[in-house]
Amino acid sequence: MVRTNNLVFLLKVSMILVQQSKASCAEWKQLETTCGSYCFKVLRPILDHTKALQSQVNDSKHQTECLMQPKRNEDLSGKFHNITREIDNLNQKLDYLAKTENVEQLQNRLDALEKKLDQKFENIVKLTKSVAVNDGKVLLFGKPFQKIGSKYYYVETTEKVTWFVAAHKCLEYGGHLASIQSSCEVSELNAHLLSNTEYWIDINDLGTEGVYLSATTGFPASYLSWNKIEPNNVNNSEHCVIYNKDYHMNDDNCQVKHRFICEY
């Protein structure tokens, strides 16, 4: 009965050891203590054979890995080479595009600069032909601009036009509609204006009712001096400003014809 139990135990231990595929000297000593010398003598050949098989398996696995490693290295090296080549190609394309774009930008800048220089040269020629100084007056495009205070003005004394025509004429003369900045400028200008006469200046509220801007700067007028009850926007049609030295400023219909004051 004892021998039968030992054989059963032997078979169980053999199965476990086959699954483990490895046994140390300490484990063998433990087995010898557990099942006795008889059990160990029977089991020892099986253990040795199992260990030999495990050693062969490990050697085969190592050889397989060694054989596979060059192949893996070769594959990785090939992929790395391909990626490097693609990066080089992209860099070459980027360099080409960058150089091409820079050339085009430089050419565009040169063209624009050439146009500006041509325009400035034409303006210089025009000014050379049209400007003359005589008795404190500057003859600009055939119109005498007189220095009044710190500015030069041309005061139209005869022709009456709409606000829009006046603005255009001042531009043709090389200036713009007068942009009054202070009461000091008003005092200096009044001495050169006719009494009871209206003159167009650059102030208007054509964009937004009640917001009076300077057509010269595009910003709110720096100086406003309204006549009594003005501005009143009669019939919702008065959007341009006239100046009269007797009563200062008033809004009027832009299509009404008045004299005008130019400044440069």
Side-chain angles (χ1 to χ4, degrees):
M1 183 68 178
V2 173
R3 187 174 182 178
T4 302
N5 291 336
N6 287 337
L7 289 174
V8 171
F9 179 76
L10 172 66
L11 291 174
K12 290 182 179 181
V13 172
S14 299
M15 293 176 64
I16 294 172
L17 291 174
V18 170
Q19 292 176 357
Q20 295 289 334
S21 301
K22 187 180 293 184
S24 65
C25 293
E27 288 172 337
W28 290 344
K29 292 179 180 179
Q30 181 66 31
L31 288 173
E32 186 175 3
T33 303
T34 303
C35 64
S37 61
Y38 174 78
C39 173
F40 182 74
K41 289 178 182 179
V42 174
L43 186 60
R44 179 63 182 269
I46 298 175
L47 293 174
D48 291 340
H49 183 66
T50 303
K51 184 177 180 180
L53 289 175
Q54 181 64 37
S55 178
Q56 293 178 5
V57 169
N58 290 337
D59 292 341
S60 298
K61 181 179 180 182
H62 178 70
Q63 293 176 1
T64 302
E65 290 176 350
C66 291
L67 291 173
M68 291 297 293
Q69 190 65 29
K71 178 62 176 177
R72 291 177 182 174
N73 291 339
E74 183 179 352
D75 292 342
L76 291 175
S77 178
K79 291 180 180 179
F80 179 78
H81 179 71
N82 291 336
I83 292 173
T84 303
R85 185 171 55 191
E86 291 179 4
I87 291 174
D88 290 339
N89 291 336
L90 288 174
N91 286 332
Q92 291 177 1
K93 290 180 180 179
L94 289 174
D95 290 340
Y96 173 77
L97 291 174
K99 291 179 181 178
T100 304
E101 184 179 359
N102 288 335
V103 170
E104 291 179 355
Q105 288 178 350
L106 288 174
Q107 186 62 48
N108 291 336
R109 290 180 182 180
L110 288 173
D111 292 342
L113 181 60
E114 185 178 2
K115 289 180 181 179
K116 288 183 179 180
L117 290 175
D118 289 342
Q119 185 63 43
K120 287 185 178 296
F121 179 75
E122 291 178 3
N123 292 338
I124 291 172
V125 171
K126 289 181 180 178
L127 288 174
T128 302
K129 292 180 179 179
S130 60
V131 175
V133 179
N134 185 24
D135 296 332
K137 294 183 179 180
V138 175
L139 195 63
L140 189 60
F141 295 97
K143 297 296 180 180
F145 279 77
Q146 184 176 1
K147 187 173 184 180
I148 302 174
S150 61
K151 297 181 178 180
Y152 283 86
Y153 295 96
Y154 167 71
V155 179
E156 178 59 52
T157 58
T158 57
E159 186 180 12
K160 295 182 178 181
V161 295
T162 68
W163 184 87
F164 300 102
V165 173
H168 180 69
K169 282 183 173 292
C170 287
L171 290 175
E172 283 186 334
Y173 300 160
H176 53 80
L177 278 173
S179 179
I180 299 174
Q181 302 295 311
S182 66
S183 59
C184 181
E185 288 185 5
V186 168
S187 298
E188 294 169 344
L189 190 57
N190 282 344
H192 302 271
L193 302 180
L194 299 174
S195 296
N196 197 28
T197 302
E198 289 78 23
Y199 298 89
W200 287 124
I201 56 177
D202 75 335
I203 300 172
N204 67 89
D205 68 343
L206 290 165
T208 302
E209 172 60 30
V211 179
Y212 290 92
L213 304 179
S214 164
T216 304
T217 65
F219 294 106
S222 300
Y223 176 80
L224 292 171
S225 179
W226 298 108
N227 190 19
K228 294 180 180 179
I229 72 170
E230 300 293 346
N232 55 10
N233 191 23
V234 174
N235 297 323
N236 196 31
S237 62
E238 297 182 340
H239 302 295
C240 297
V241 176
I242 54 176
Y243 178 77
N244 184 312
K245 73 174 185 178
D246 297 316
Y247 58 79
H248 289 195
M249 296 180 182
N250 180 23
D251 60 336
D252 201 358
N253 190 313
C254 302
Q255 297 299 329
V256 175
K257 295 182 178 181
H258 295 295
R259 295 177 178 87
F260 54 93
I261 305 170
C262 298
E263 170 192 331
Y264 93 94

